[in-house]
Amino acid sequence: MRIRLSFERQEGSGLCIMVDLLRASATITAALDQFREVIPVADIEEAVKYSRKGYPVAGERGGETVPGFIANSPIEVKNYSGDALVLTTSNGTRILESVKSHALVGCLNNLDAVAEAARELSDEVEVVMAGVNGRFAIEDFLCAGEIIAAIDGEMDEYAEASVLAVQDRSLVDDAIRRSRSAERLEGLGFRDDIEYCIRRNITGNVPVYRDGTVKLMEEIRRLH
């Protein structure tokens, strides 16, 4: 298994795992307990168009919930259900829309499940960190490191560095809590979301982005 790590954009054209720990990856993973699919959109304007058609819409910019939208929150999204949820975020949904093939959505909540799915689907995978508005985000780097360690394969140097960084889980958790993203979310009243996103292996959900929508891998298998 060959594993590479990249930042903000997919460099290859094969299977990738999108990581946006705080909070798009966790929100998508949790939403698929309540919705059949998640439709990620990059622009608020496009999300508003869906809202006018009756779709439930979640989203944020800079961590702040867009007025009239559901929060980009893995906790809040569980209060809603339906056929499809539309989601627009500052970083994660933008990364998904740019992938060249199909992508898994990875976080700590589905750590082992997404690693197992990657091993099953391909002998080469690229983990893409979403970052924050073009900036490196330590929480995505550390989450990527845990996923890469769980996949366990031949790593490029960037991927290997991320694995070396996650040898002490308590230090990882502390670094995530002290990250710029977490500090901003806490200031906005989303401290519980931070703690939720740090929880490991609480779900077997493996979201798969393909053809503009995200569905559970088991749902895609069932349909094919």
Side-chain angles (χ1 to χ4, degrees), residues 37 134 151 203 221:
E37 64 180 352
I151 296 172
T203 178
R221 285 174 175 157

Side-chain angles (χ1 to χ4, degrees), residues 12 26 52 72 81 87 93 115 120 137 178 184 199 211-212 218:
R52 289 172 179 160
N72 170 32
S81 61
L87 178 67
T93 55
E120 177 185 330
R178 290 186 287 102
R184 176 155 180 78
R199 296 171 65 192
D211 300 328
E218 62 188 47

Side-chain angles (χ1 to χ4, degrees), residues 6-196:
S6 58
F7 173 62
E8 201 175 31
R9 67 179 61 85
Q10 183 184 13
E11 296 176 0
S13 58
L15 177 68
C16 72
I17 302 174
M18 189 282 290
V19 174
D20 182 356
L21 182 65
L22 298 176
R23 296 164 285 171
S25 289
T27 296
I28 291 169
T29 302
L32 289 172
D33 283 330
Q34 309 294 118
F35 296 88
R36 185 179 62 85
E37 64 180 352
V38 175
I39 303 171
V41 298
D43 301 321
I44 292 175
E45 293 76 14
E46 186 177 358
V48 169
K49 290 178 182 177
Y50 276 101
S51 179
R52 289 172 179 160
K53 295 176 182 178
Y55 285 80
V57 178
E60 54 75 27
R61 286 297 180 271
E64 293 190 62
T65 304
V66 178
F69 286 13
I70 302 164
N72 170 32
S73 161
I75 295 174
E76 184 170 333
V77 78
K78 292 183 178 183
N79 296 323
Y80 301 86
S81 61
D83 185 59
L85 174 72
V86 176
L87 178 67
T88 181
T89 71
S90 301
N91 304 290
T93 55
R94 173 174 51 83
I95 303 303
L96 284 177
E97 285 202 326
S98 71
V99 300
K100 297 163 187 167
S101 55
H102 59 284
L104 308 181
V105 176
C107 56
L108 296 178
N109 299 160
N110 69 350
L111 173 61
D112 287 346
V114 78
E116 182 179 348
R119 289 193 300 267
E120 177 185 330
L121 292 171
S122 180
D123 60 2
E124 185 170 352
V125 64
E126 179 177 357
V127 181
V128 182
M129 302 176 292
V132 179
N133 299 324
R135 301 193 317 270
F136 173 86
I138 191 170
E139 68 273 9
D140 292 344
F141 180 69
L142 295 173
C143 179
E146 293 212 22
I147 291 171
I148 291 166
I151 296 172
D152 189 23
E154 179 184 342
M155 297 170 268
D156 71 4
E157 291 185 352
Y158 202 3
E160 185 176 0
S162 72
V163 171
L164 291 173
V166 297
Q167 298 304 302
D168 187 321
R169 186 163 284 181
S170 65
L171 292 179
V172 170
D173 291 354
D174 287 345
I176 292 170
R177 291 187 180 104
R178 290 186 287 102
S179 68
R180 287 177 299 187
S181 299
E183 287 178 355
R184 176 155 180 78
L185 289 173
E186 184 163 0
L188 292 169
F190 291 111
R191 183 175 184 176
D192 288 347
D193 277 359
I194 300 166
E195 295 303 316
Y196 182 97

